[in-house]
Amino acid sequence: MRVLAAMSGGVDSAVAAARAADAGHDVTGVHLALSPSPQQHRLGARGCCTVEDSRDAARAADVIGIPFYVWAMADEFGRDVVDDFVAEYAAGRTPNPCLRCNEKIKFEAVLDRALALGFDAVVTGHHARLSGLELRRSVDLGKDQSYVLAVLRPDQLAHAMFPLGDSTKAEVRLEAARRGLGVAEKPDSHDICFIPDGDTAGFLRKSLGEAPGDIVDAETGEVLGSHEGAYAYTIGQRRGLKLGRPAADGKPRYVLDISPVENTVRVGPAEALDVDEIVGVRPVWTNGVRTEPFECVAQLRAHGQTFPATAIPADDRWVVRLHEPARGVAAGQAVVLYEGDVVVGSATIDAARKAVATPA
């Protein structure tokens, strides 16, 4: 096949491209220039999309022996990922920009362009497996990225290749070294690539401005402190609250609710974070549409704990009833459903609550 390899400049995408070439495919490498300021330097394991990353990708392509190009996609990335990220926080939700990037950039904008140019598939270095059109977890559960790929539709998976899903990260690094790829020991990027210093609150403050408001006790309504912008908080947060006085029981308080309309952050005890019913909207069925309730396993954040659950599909939403409570579930994140290691689908969390017990 004629294959486009998305090369970030890291070790995973380099080895994925090399494996595709070894498999006999006609491979072309492409680096996505997503930053409007690519001259910034990569800060250790933070950030990506810098000039350094582009050069690393070009050198890897040269070692593999494949043609290489850079595609400027900063406008699309800014509109579909960065602006969405800011808007979601402003609305009191906690987005996952990596998931949105896979949905809108790598497997929409890039795949659409690749198919228009005559390519058959896009290959990436994600740690996940494809069995036909079934998206499965990687054998390396610590590096599994099926959660952030669960936004992909079957028609997109039909043109995707994930060559690393049967390997551990350690095996990928050893292979990169054997191949003479200079990125073999390059640190993985993590956190949010467009906030390389890791200061999410500072980034949002520059984008949204200061918006002082109250931090209040969720039970009594008493004002306990103040904030400079409710957007800087997320459900389950404990650190950085700067409350004026401790709770009566001496236990820590956590963020329970964020109200952008009232510009209020409500806090309370840890047990108030427990939920066992989740409403997901804008569902994507990765492995066939379901219309009847079914048993599954739910994952609520990347690399997070999984929960046995019953999923109840209803037109444009799901209700997911967890068999045991989860703590600190934030609207805006994804709920991804699995049967074994197979992804069934994903939805955006709209609400999370403690279900009211039915009277006997």
Side-chain angles (χ1 to χ4, degrees), residues 87 288 310 343:
T310 302
V343 175

Side-chain angles (χ1 to χ4, degrees), residues 7-15 52-53 55-60 63 169 172-173 176-177 180-188:
M7 302 182 70
S8 66
V11 62
D12 290 328
S13 60
V15 172
E52 176 189 348
D53 293 307
R55 289 171 180 164
D56 285 343
R59 283 190 287 264
V63 171
K169 185 58 178 266
V172 171
R173 288 197 180 279
L181 295 169
V183 293
E185 297 301 326
K186 185 175 181 177
D188 293 336

Side-chain angles (χ1 to χ4, degrees), residues 40-92:
Q40 66 183 332
H41 291 291
R42 202 171 195 272
L43 303 178
R46 295 184 185 271
C48 65
C49 315
T50 65
V51 167
E52 176 189 348
D53 293 307
S54 178
R55 289 171 180 164
D56 285 343
R59 283 190 287 264
D62 186 56
V63 171
I64 298 166
I66 59 174
F68 176 80
Y69 300 91
V70 176
W71 285 1
M73 303 197 76
D75 290 345
E76 294 92 334
F77 185 76
R79 179 187 65 241
D80 293 331
V81 179
V82 181
D83 290 352
D84 175 80
F85 177 85
V86 174
E88 286 291 284
Y89 265 105

Side-chain angles (χ1 to χ4, degrees), residues 89-104:
Y89 265 105
R93 296 185 287 267
T94 304
N96 186 317
C98 294
L99 189 146
R100 193 66 61 234
C101 182
N102 286 327
E103 177 188 14
K104 295 294 186 180

Side-chain angles (χ1 to χ4, degrees), residues 9-353:
V11 62
D12 290 328
S13 60
V15 172
R19 288 186 178 183
D22 285 355
H25 299 299
D26 178 7
V27 181
T28 297
V30 63
H31 177 76
L32 308 181
L34 304 178
S35 171
S37 304
Q39 284 73 27
Q40 66 183 332
H41 291 291
R42 202 171 195 272
L43 303 178
R46 295 184 185 271
C48 65
C49 315
T50 65
V51 167
E52 176 189 348
D53 293 307
S54 178
R55 289 171 180 164
D56 285 343
R59 283 190 287 264
D62 186 56
V63 171
I64 298 166
I66 59 174
F68 176 80
Y69 300 91
V70 176
W71 285 1
M73 303 197 76
D75 290 345
E76 294 92 334
F77 185 76
R79 179 187 65 241
D80 293 331
V81 179
V82 181
D83 290 352
D84 175 80
F85 177 85
V86 174
E88 286 291 284
Y89 265 105
R93 296 185 287 267
T94 304
N96 186 317
C98 294
L99 189 146
R100 193 66 61 234
C101 182
N102 286 327
E103 177 188 14
K104 295 294 186 180
I105 304 300
K106 293 174 183 172
F107 290 95
E108 187 167 300
V110 171
L111 180 57
D112 287 351
R113 187 185 297 188
L115 295 176
L117 291 171
F119 289 95
D120 300 301
V122 170
V123 58
T124 74
H126 286 100
H127 283 261
R129 291 178 292 163
L130 269 178
S131 301
L133 293 182
E134 285 189 339
L135 178 63
R136 295 177 176 269
R137 290 191 185 277
S138 167
V139 298
D140 188 340
L141 295 180
K143 292 294 182 180
D144 173 58
Q145 293 175 296
S146 61
Y147 175 91
V148 296
L149 294 170
V151 289
L152 302 184
R153 306 183 308 268
D155 63 298
Q156 294 171 317
L157 290 173
H159 296 283
M161 295 174 61
F162 307 127
L164 305 187
D166 289 315
S167 300
T168 66
K169 185 58 178 266
E171 290 168 343
V172 171
R173 288 197 180 279
L174 286 173
E175 181 177 333
R178 289 197 301 269
R179 290 179 179 274
L181 295 169
V183 293
E185 297 301 326
K186 185 175 181 177
D188 293 336
S189 60
H190 61 81
D191 294 323
I192 301 169
C193 69
F194 53 87
I195 310 179
D197 63 0
D199 183 8
T200 300
F203 176 85
L204 292 169
R205 193 175 303 114
K206 290 177 184 176
S207 301
L208 298 171
E210 291 189 1
D214 292 331
I215 299 177
V216 303
D217 186 289
E219 185 173 337
T220 66
E222 179 185 1
V223 176
L224 301 175
S226 63
H227 62 76
E228 296 179 352
Y231 52 74
Y233 297 83
T234 189
I235 301 301
Q237 181 176 335
R238 173 186 172 186
R239 298 184 182 278
L241 298 182
K242 300 178 182 177
L243 303 180
R245 53 195 177 86
D249 59 7
K251 294 181 179 179
R253 295 185 181 95
Y254 298 80
V255 174
L256 304 181
D257 179 65
I258 302 160
S259 174
V261 175
E262 300 174 359
N263 195 26
T264 299
V265 176
R266 293 181 175 83
V267 298
E271 54 268 22
L273 288 167
D274 288 347
V275 300
D276 56 15
E277 187 170 277
I278 293 165
V279 177
V281 296
R282 300 187 298 279
V284 175
W285 294 101
T286 306
N287 189 33
V289 176
R290 309 291 180 92
T291 58
E292 299 294 330
F294 61 96
E295 299 303 302
C296 58
V297 171
Q299 185 169 332
L300 308 175
R301 56 176 63 88
H303 308 296
Q305 183 181 352
T306 59
F307 298 85
T310 302
I312 306 169
D315 297 327
D316 61 347
R317 63 184 54 226
W318 299 340
V319 174
V320 181
R321 291 177 178 161
L322 307 179
H323 297 177
E324 58 188 68
R327 179 164 289 187
V329 179
Q333 293 281 297
V335 51
V336 176
L337 306 183
Y338 294 82
E339 288 182 331
D341 64 356
V342 176
V343 175
V344 177
S346 70
T348 301
I349 296 173
D350 185 60
R353 58 206 177 206

